[in-house]
Amino acid sequence: QVQLVESGGGLVQAGDSLRLSCAASGRAFSSTAMAWFRQAPGKEREFVACISRDGDRTLYGDSVKGRFTISRDNAKNTGYLQMNNQKPEDTAIYYCATRVSSIQTNNPPLYGTWGQGTPVTVSS
């Protein structure tokens, strides 16, 4: 079973960039699709981005489209979320998740493995 550990979160100013990493244990990472979700205080979990098992298909939430980029390196068992031109409304805890499938989806219940999350705070 894959275990996920997010890192790279922190405090940044509006307009800055940040890259999150999602390190997966085990060899199963290369057989999974991956996604990033986020949850701000008092708000529901929100889909951010997802990527197919082979990295050739991606999907983004409307609020991050054009600013965030999801990628993965299966040789390193690691996924990434590059966040550019950040806004205060990007403040949240960011979670990576995987599902045993080649197909990415923005539906949280379809992801069976989740990390503990990494906090991101964007100040104005």
Side-chain angles (χ1 to χ4, degrees):
Q1 183 176 356
V2 175
Q3 290 185 321
L4 306 173
V5 178
E6 303 95 335
S7 63
L11 173 63
V12 297
Q13 293 186 333
D16 285 351
S17 296
L18 203 60
R19 188 176 80 158
L20 305 182
S21 297
C22 175
S25 63
R27 297 180 178 180
F29 180 73
S30 60
S31 64
T32 65
M34 191 193 81
W36 289 93
F37 296 86
R38 68 186 183 186
Q39 188 164 18
K43 295 188 177 181
E44 294 185 352
R45 183 169 47 189
E46 178 187 8
F47 166 72
V48 176
C50 58
I51 187 167
S52 62
R53 177 189 63 190
D54 298 328
D56 56 345
R57 296 182 301 274
T58 57
L59 182 67
Y60 294 92
D62 289 342
S63 62
V64 306
K65 202 172 295 183
R67 299 187 298 121
F68 289 12
T69 302
I70 188 172
S71 62
R72 64 189 299 161
D73 186 338
N74 287 342
K76 295 182 178 179
N77 285 345
T78 303
Y80 304 98
L81 183 68
Q82 178 67 42
M83 305 184 293
N84 297 332
N85 189 23
Q86 289 193 266
K87 304 175 180 181
E89 50 263 43
D90 293 327
T91 295
I93 297 177
Y94 284 71
Y95 301 89
C96 66
T98 60
R99 63 187 297 253
V100 182
S101 171
S102 63
I103 306 300
Q104 77 283 13
T105 175
N106 61 359
N107 189 359
L110 296 182
Y111 288 86
T113 302
W114 292 76
Q116 293 300 308
T118 185
V120 173
T121 302
V122 184
S123 63
S124 58

